[in-house]
Amino acid sequence: CTAPLATAPAQVQVSQFVASVAMISNVSGATSCMHKHGSLYRTPRMLGMGSLASSRRMLSGPQVRRGRVMQMTQKRGSLVVAADAKGPPVMPTLPYEVGSQGGVALGGPTKAPEKKTVKTVVLGSKLGGDLVAIKSVDDEARFEAEYQLNKGSTENAYLFSADKTALIDIPEGAWAEAFAKELKKNLGSRSLDYLILGHFNPRLGKTLAAVLDNQPDTAPPVEIWCSNPAKRALTAMLSKGHPAFSRELYTSWKRKGLRARLLRVKTGDSLDIGQGHNFSFFLAPTPRWAEGLFVYDSMYQKLFTSKFFGAHVVSKSGFDSDGDYQEDWDYYFNSLVGPVATQAKSVMERASICPVESEETQKSGGFRLPAFYKLGSGMKKLASFFAKDSDPSKEAADDQTGKPSVSSGIAVATICPRHGPVVRQNLKALLDSYDAGIADRLSRKEDFSVAVVYASAYGNTGVMANAVSNGLTKAGINVKLLDCEFSTNAEVADLVKGCQGFAVGSPTLGGHIPTPVSEAIGAILKNIDRNTPYGVFGSYGWSGEAVPAMSESLKDGGFLNQAFDPVSLKFKPTDDLIELLESNGERLAQSVKGQLAAKKIKQRKALAEQQIVLAEDDRVRAVGHIPTSVTAITSHIREVDSIMLCSWISQASFNPPAITLSISKKNSPEGLFLLNSKFIVNVLGAGKEKGAMKLLNKGFRSGNDCFEGYEIERDETTNCAMLKDAASYMKCTVTDRMDTGDHWLLLATIEDGKVLDAKSPTFFHHRRTGSQY
């Protein structure tokens, strides 16, 4: 910090100052890093050697705010950064900020924080509206993979006002002030008696502190009901000297006496808040959400499912009746629930949900059926697995209550998730889609697994971990995902034992691998065979030492079977990098499968015999006689190029001109199956196909280098690639789709097309069997 900076421009001064702050990270102290939405995220354990927040003691006066440089004075030394005569300079690309609580945060392009909005939706009516949903609305674009539909999201909380008041869930710290204000308005003159946390992480600490600060001084302590993992996390945040200690939460908790107390919840526990509201609790843990907790209100037949059955979308009314959200639910499931399908199945079985129609659903005509029920009988047969008969007349009525009887499980009329619309009319269809999705994931998964262990200070490494997991899942691998910052060494060891592959992700903090990741690598070295395939990845904001250090540590420990090159990310993930990480996940999956196949000779022989029998089946051989043209599908989705071979393609109509094509779920561009996606069909000509086939035989490829060495042109409107030696091409838009099992069947209209070589006949592919492409 003593470097001469007086003559440097303001932006350079601040950049060098932040670098200096990073270099003194071995100074001890509590850490307070600003989360991307503004909430405090204290993680000195992540720093390994100490705390970046200790640099706060070096500053006096105003500090660096988002987008502007304010005056700073170094306590020791001569560094001064001051506004010029025209006012503070704007820094639109400065990736760091020193927050008012200290610490260094990754920020990407800097801008003033947007004001968060919170709205209330009334859910209960039997007792004068004693249940409301308080929805914190997020219209901001998010970079995490789960938000890629770009429809915003909501953080939902639910408030009961019976003899006692009970709040289920709270939003992240970005909404702390607005949420606390809305909660106080809904409570009126009453205080909060119970807070039930179906989900918890340190980013909720700021909101919890705001809720406790709003409690009247004379009110009794709030009883916080949560699962054991959530209780452990909260206890750590309240323990002085613990790496996760939060002074803000501690101060609010102890304000004028004890403001709250913790109670650990187990499956089967219950809570009566009066006026007929008796809550039952079901633990719903997964590797992604170890603290998961379901809450069931028997009076309203409402199930509060935390992270399950959510969607990242903002609905107008707050309910599922005001739009078609199936695509949003499917995308949410595929991004978050699908990778933990094994544990999700256990959660579904434990809850044992039996859908019944609410009064509102009955008034609107009953449960909505999936869109494919509007099609012909042939389509219904293909969709029979995904939905069961939902005729309410076939459900026996209970003589005493008049409600449908449930032989086992709990009768649920409404699902209240943490994100997205409250589910009533689509309840049965959503439950069926979860059952089908889980069954599909499990049917495609082998009897082996890969561990993805990571820690994430600012969310970037977490996004990378999800992308690797998605690639593994696409390849049919059972993924065990674990954030090692909130796990013990014993839990990491238990997770990696028995895994046939692993990937480790880490940020770089203070030029080092954070302590939780170092300890996780130690557990891996003790518990995993040295021939196990693996990969490493991570993010950084300044120097990026963690990824090469992890790679060297594993190589020095005897691990030589590295499935993909180490991936280092500076700042936030891009779509191109997400595609690369998913491809790397698939490479790791293939490496695991190849190694296990070599070890299991008997299983390989059995599989070969099964394939021979399948090939000799007359039906399958007959299908193979259907002639198929060979085409190259190119797309440019979210600034990422991709190319894939497609031979299952056919004309669908004369007017409008349209085609159908079938694409594999495992090997296809991410997002191509979404409605309104754009792509180009390049039809190959006989005699000129060699160059294109050389490119296509490498399999599905994505990234900016997927056309390397091949001559293409770009479409002006879609930026999709057109192969110069194709016989013809067609510009297409997806207008409808159907799930056919292991493929998506897409209906696309042809917006434009051109014949490039009228003399060249179409190149056809002749198969011997219908069991292969």
Side-chain angles (χ1 to χ4, degrees), residues 396-407:
D398 186 285
D399 293 336
Q400 296 180 347
T401 64
K403 296 178 180 179
S405 63
V406 179
S407 57

Side-chain angles (χ1 to χ4, degrees), residues 614-626 765-773:
L614 183 63
E616 292 176 348
D617 188 295
D618 285 339
R619 294 173 304 166
V620 179
R621 285 192 304 182
V623 173
H625 277 256
I626 298 175
H765 174 54
H766 300 278
R767 302 180 297 165
R768 294 183 179 180
T769 173
S771 63
Q772 300 173 359
Y773 287 113

